[in-house]
Coordinates of all heavy atoms in Angstrom, one line a residue:
I61 N -4.4 0.3 -5.7 CA -3.0 0.4 -5.1 C -2.7 -1.2 -4.7 O -1.7 -1.7 -5.2 CB -2.9 1.2 -3.8 CG1 -3.1 2.7 -4.4 CG2 -1.5 1.0 -3.2 CD1 -2.9 3.5 -3.1
P81 N 3.7 1.8 -0.6 CA 3.0 2.7 -1.6 C 2.6 4.0 -1.0 O 2.2 4.9 -1.7 CB 1.8 2.0 -2.1 CG 1.5 1.0 -1.0 CD 2.7 0.7 0.0
E82 N 2.6 4.2 0.3 CA 2.1 5.4 1.0 C 2.6 5.3 2.4 O 3.1 4.3 2.8 CB 0.6 5.5 0.9 CG -0.1 4.4 1.4 CD -0.8 4.7 2.7 OE1 -1.6 5.6 2.7 OE2 -0.6 3.9 3.8
G83 N 2.3 6.4 3.2 CA 2.9 6.4 4.5 C 2.1 6.1 5.7 O 2.3 5.5 6.7
T84 N 0.7 6.3 5.5 CA -0.2 6.1 6.7 C -0.3 4.8 7.2 O -0.3 4.6 8.5 CB -1.6 6.6 6.1 OG1 -1.6 7.8 5.4 CG2 -2.7 6.7 7.3
A85 N -0.3 3.7 6.4 CA -0.3 2.4 6.9 C 0.9 2.1 7.7 O 0.7 1.6 8.9 CB -0.3 1.4 5.7
Y107 N 6.0 12.5 8.5 CA 7.0 11.6 8.0 C 7.3 12.2 6.6 O 6.5 12.9 5.9 CB 6.6 10.1 7.9 CG 5.3 10.0 7.2 CD1 5.2 9.8 5.7 CD2 4.1 10.2 7.9 CE1 3.9 9.8 5.2 CE2 2.8 10.2 7.3 CZ 2.8 9.9 5.8 OH 1.6 9.9 5.2
R113 N 4.9 3.0 -6.3 CA 3.6 2.3 -6.9 C 3.9 2.1 -8.3 O 4.5 3.0 -9.0 CB 2.5 3.4 -6.9 CG 2.2 3.8 -5.4 CD 0.8 4.7 -5.5 NE 0.7 5.3 -4.0 CZ -0.1 6.1 -3.7 NH1 -1.0 6.6 -4.5 NH2 -0.2 6.7 -2.4
E115 N 2.6 2.3 -11.2 CA 1.6 2.9 -12.1 C 2.2 3.2 -13.4 O 3.6 3.2 -13.6 CB 1.2 4.3 -11.4 CG 0.5 4.1 -10.1 CD -0.1 5.5 -9.7 OE1 -1.2 5.8 -10.1 OE2 0.7 6.2 -8.9
G120 N 4.5 14.0 -13.8 CA 4.0 14.0 -12.5 C 3.6 12.8 -11.9 O 3.2 12.7 -10.8
R121 N 3.9 11.8 -12.7 CA 3.5 10.3 -12.0 C 4.7 9.5 -12.2 O 5.1 9.2 -13.2 CB 2.3 9.8 -12.7 CG 1.7 8.7 -11.8 CD 0.9 7.7 -12.6 NE -0.5 8.1 -12.9 CZ -1.2 7.7 -13.9 NH1 -0.6 6.8 -14.8 NH2 -2.4 8.2 -14.1
Y122 N 5.2 8.9 -11.0 CA 6.4 8.2 -11.0 C 6.2 6.9 -10.3 O 5.2 6.7 -9.7 CB 7.5 8.9 -10.4 CG 7.8 10.4 -10.7 CD1 7.3 11.3 -10.3 CD2 8.6 10.4 -11.9 CE1 7.5 12.6 -10.7 CE2 8.9 11.7 -12.5 CZ 8.3 12.8 -11.9 OH 8.6 14.0 -12.3
R123 N 7.0 6.0 -10.4 CA 7.0 4.7 -9.7 C 7.6 4.8 -8.4 O 7.3 4.2 -7.3 CB 7.5 3.5 -10.5 CG 6.5 3.3 -11.6 CD 6.9 2.1 -12.5 NE 5.9 1.9 -13.3 CZ 6.0 1.0 -14.5 NH1 7.1 0.3 -14.7 NH2 5.0 0.8 -15.3
Q124 N 8.7 5.7 -8.2 CA 9.2 6.1 -6.9 C 8.9 7.6 -6.9 O 9.5 8.4 -7.7 CB 10.7 5.9 -6.8 CG 11.2 6.4 -5.5 CD 12.6 6.2 -5.1 OE1 13.1 5.1 -5.6 NE2 13.3 7.0 -4.4
F125 N 8.2 8.0 -5.9 CA 8.0 9.5 -5.7 C 8.2 9.7 -4.2 O 8.3 8.8 -3.4 CB 6.6 9.8 -6.2 CG 5.4 9.1 -5.6 CD1 4.7 9.5 -4.5 CD2 5.2 7.8 -6.0 CE1 3.7 8.8 -3.9 CE2 4.2 7.0 -5.4 CZ 3.4 7.6 -4.3
H126 N 8.0 11.0 -3.8 CA 8.1 11.2 -2.5 C 7.1 12.1 -1.8 O 6.4 12.8 -2.4 CB 9.5 12.3 -2.2 CG 10.7 11.4 -2.6 ND1 11.1 11.3 -4.1 CD2 11.7 10.9 -2.0 CE1 12.1 10.7 -4.1 NE2 12.6 10.4 -2.9
Q127 N 6.8 11.7 -0.6 CA 5.6 12.3 0.1 C 6.1 13.0 1.5 O 7.0 12.4 2.1 CB 4.5 11.4 0.4 CG 3.7 10.9 -0.7 CD 2.6 9.9 -0.1 OE1 2.6 9.4 1.0 NE2 1.6 9.7 -0.9
G129 N 4.0 13.4 4.8 CA 2.6 13.3 5.2 C 2.5 13.7 6.7 O 3.5 13.6 7.5
A130 N 1.3 14.0 7.1 CA 1.0 14.5 8.6 C -0.3 13.7 9.1 O -1.2 13.6 8.3 CB 0.7 15.9 8.7
E131 N -0.2 13.2 10.3 CA -1.3 12.3 10.9 C -1.5 12.9 12.2 O -0.6 13.0 13.0 CB -0.9 10.9 10.7 CG -0.3 10.3 9.6 CD -1.2 10.1 8.4 OE1 -2.4 10.4 8.5 OE2 -0.6 9.9 7.3
R257 N -11.7 9.3 -3.1 CA -10.3 8.7 -2.7 C -10.2 7.3 -3.0 O -11.0 6.6 -3.1 CB -9.9 9.0 -1.2 CG -10.3 10.4 -0.8 CD -9.2 11.4 -1.1 NE -7.8 10.9 -0.5 CZ -6.8 10.6 -1.2 NH1 -6.8 10.7 -2.6 NH2 -5.7 10.3 -0.6
G258 N -8.9 6.9 -3.3 CA -8.6 5.5 -3.8 C -8.1 4.7 -2.7 O -7.6 3.6 -3.0
L259 N -8.3 5.0 -1.4 CA -7.9 4.2 -0.3 C -9.1 3.8 0.6 O -9.9 4.6 0.8 CB -6.7 4.8 0.5 CG -5.4 5.2 -0.4 CD1 -5.5 6.6 -0.7 CD2 -4.2 5.0 0.4
Y261 N -9.4 3.1 3.7 CA -9.5 3.4 5.2 C -10.2 4.7 5.6 O -10.6 4.9 6.7 CB -8.2 3.4 5.9 CG -7.0 4.3 5.2 CD1 -7.1 5.5 5.1 CD2 -5.9 3.6 4.8 CE1 -6.0 6.4 4.4 CE2 -4.8 4.3 4.3 CZ -4.8 5.7 4.1 OH -3.9 6.4 3.6
Y262 N -10.7 5.5 4.6 CA -11.3 6.7 4.9 C -12.7 6.6 5.7 O -13.4 5.8 5.2 CB -11.3 7.7 3.8 CG -9.8 8.1 3.4 CD1 -9.3 7.6 2.2 CD2 -9.2 9.0 4.2 CE1 -8.1 8.2 1.8 CE2 -7.9 9.4 3.8 CZ -7.4 9.0 2.7 OH -6.0 9.3 2.3
E268 N -9.0 17.0 -1.2 CA -7.9 16.9 -2.1 C -7.6 18.3 -2.6 O -8.5 19.2 -2.7 CB -8.2 16.1 -3.4 CG -8.0 14.6 -3.2 CD -8.3 13.9 -4.5 OE1 -8.4 14.4 -5.6 OE2 -8.3 12.6 -4.4
A269 N -6.3 18.7 -2.8 CA -6.0 20.0 -3.5 C -5.5 19.6 -5.0 O -4.5 18.9 -5.1 CB -4.8 20.7 -2.7
T277 N -3.7 15.8 -8.7 CA -3.9 15.9 -7.3 C -2.5 16.3 -6.7 O -1.7 15.5 -6.9 CB -4.7 14.8 -6.6 OG1 -5.8 14.6 -7.3 CG2 -4.9 15.0 -5.1
L278 N -2.5 17.3 -5.9 CA -1.1 17.7 -5.4 C -1.1 17.2 -3.9 O 0.1 16.7 -3.4 CB -1.0 19.1 -5.4 CG -1.2 19.9 -6.7 CD1 -1.2 21.3 -6.6 CD2 -0.2 19.3 -7.8
I279 N -2.1 17.4 -3.2 CA -2.1 17.0 -1.8 C -3.4 16.3 -1.5 O -4.5 16.7 -2.1 CB -2.1 18.3 -0.9 CG1 -0.8 19.1 -1.2 CG2 -2.0 17.9 0.7 CD1 -0.6 20.3 -0.5
A280 N -3.5 15.2 -0.7 CA -4.8 14.5 -0.5 C -4.8 13.9 1.0 O -3.8 13.7 1.4 CB -4.9 13.4 -1.6
G281 N -6.0 13.7 1.4 CA -6.1 13.2 2.8 C -7.5 13.0 3.3 O -8.4 13.2 2.5
G282 N -7.6 12.8 4.6 CA -8.9 12.6 5.1 C -8.8 11.9 6.5 O -7.8 11.7 7.0
R283 N -10.1 11.6 7.0 CA -10.2 10.9 8.2 C -10.1 9.5 8.2 O -10.5 9.0 7.1 CB -11.6 11.5 8.8 CG -11.6 11.6 10.3 CD -12.7 12.4 10.7 NE -12.1 13.5 11.6 CZ -11.4 13.1 12.6 NH1 -11.2 12.0 13.1 NH2 -10.9 14.2 13.4
Y284 N -9.6 8.7 9.0 CA -9.7 7.4 9.0 C -9.9 6.8 10.4 O -8.9 6.4 11.1 CB -8.5 6.7 8.4 CG -7.2 7.2 8.8 CD1 -6.3 6.6 9.8 CD2 -6.6 8.5 8.3 CE1 -5.2 7.1 10.2 CE2 -5.4 8.9 8.8 CZ -4.7 8.3 9.7 OH -3.6 8.8 10.1
V299 N -6.8 11.6 11.5 CA -7.0 12.4 10.3 C -5.6 12.8 9.8 O -4.7 13.0 10.6 CB -7.9 13.5 10.5 CG1 -7.4 14.5 11.7 CG2 -8.1 14.4 9.2
G300 N -5.5 12.8 8.4 CA -4.1 13.3 8.0 C -4.1 13.5 6.5 O -5.1 13.5 5.9
F301 N -3.0 13.9 6.0 CA -2.9 14.0 4.6 C -1.4 13.8 4.0 O -0.6 13.7 4.9 CB -3.4 15.4 4.2 CG -2.4 16.6 4.8 CD1 -1.2 17.0 4.0 CD2 -2.7 17.3 5.9 CE1 -0.4 17.9 4.5 CE2 -1.8 18.2 6.5 CZ -0.6 18.5 5.7
A302 N -1.3 13.8 2.7 CA 0.2 13.6 2.3 C 0.3 14.5 1.0 O -0.6 14.6 0.2 CB 0.5 12.1 1.9
V303 N 1.5 15.1 1.0 CA 1.9 16.1 -0.2 C 2.6 15.2 -1.1 O 3.7 14.6 -0.7 CB 2.7 17.1 0.5 CG1 3.2 18.1 -0.5 CG2 2.0 17.8 1.5
G304 N 2.5 15.4 -2.3 CA 3.3 14.8 -3.4 C 4.4 15.8 -3.7 O 4.1 16.8 -4.3
L305 N 5.6 15.4 -3.3 CA 6.7 16.4 -3.4 C 7.1 16.7 -4.8 O 7.4 17.9 -5.2 CB 7.9 16.0 -2.5 CG 7.8 16.3 -1.0 CD1 8.9 15.7 -0.2 CD2 7.6 17.7 -0.7
E306 N 7.2 15.8 -5.6 CA 7.6 16.0 -7.0 C 6.5 16.9 -7.6 O 6.9 17.8 -8.4 CB 7.6 14.7 -7.8 CG 8.8 13.9 -7.7 CD 8.9 12.9 -6.4 OE1 7.9 13.0 -5.6 OE2 9.8 12.3 -6.1
R307 N 5.3 16.7 -7.5 CA 4.3 17.4 -8.1 C 4.3 18.9 -7.6 O 4.1 19.8 -8.4 CB 2.8 16.8 -7.8 CG 2.8 15.5 -8.4 CD 1.3 14.9 -8.3 NE 1.2 13.6 -8.9 CZ 0.3 12.8 -9.0 NH1 -0.8 13.2 -8.3 NH2 0.4 11.6 -9.6
Ligands
LIG1 P1 -2.7 9.5 -2.1 O1 -3.8 10.4 -2.7 O2 -2.6 8.2 -2.6 O3 -2.9 9.6 -0.6 O4 -1.2 10.2 -2.4 C1 -1.1 11.5 -1.9 C2 -0.4 12.4 -2.9 O5 0.9 11.7 -3.3 C3 -1.0 12.7 -4.1 O6 -2.0 13.6 -4.0 C4 0.1 12.9 -5.1 O7 0.5 14.4 -5.0 C5 1.3 12.0 -4.7 N1 1.4 10.9 -5.5 C6 0.6 9.8 -5.4 N2 0.9 8.8 -6.4 C7 2.0 9.4 -7.1 C8 2.8 9.1 -8.2 N3 2.7 7.9 -8.8 N4 3.7 9.9 -8.5 C9 3.9 11.2 -8.1 N5 3.2 11.6 -6.9 C10 2.3 10.8 -6.5 C11 -2.1 8.9 0.4 O8 -1.0 8.4 0.1 C12 -2.5 9.0 1.7 N6 -1.6 8.2 2.6 C13 -2.7 10.4 2.3 C14 -3.2 10.4 3.6 C15 -2.4 10.6 4.7 N7 -4.4 10.3 4.1 C16 -4.4 10.4 5.4 N8 -3.2 10.6 5.8

Side-chain angles (χ1 to χ4, degrees):
I61 296 181
E82 57 106 55
T84 310
Y107 54 90
R113 294 185 194 176
E115 293 188 88
R121 198 204 278 158
Y122 306 96
R123 288 182 176 171
Q124 176 177 330
F125 59 97
H126 298 76
Q127 286 185 344
E131 318 286 355
R257 310 275 303 119
L259 305 95
Y261 47 62
Y262 291 110
E268 282 190 3
T277 303
L278 307 173
I279 306 177
R283 217 165 232 295
Y284 47 99
V299 55
F301 67 82
V303 176
L305 284 175
E306 280 82 0
R307 294 188 180 178

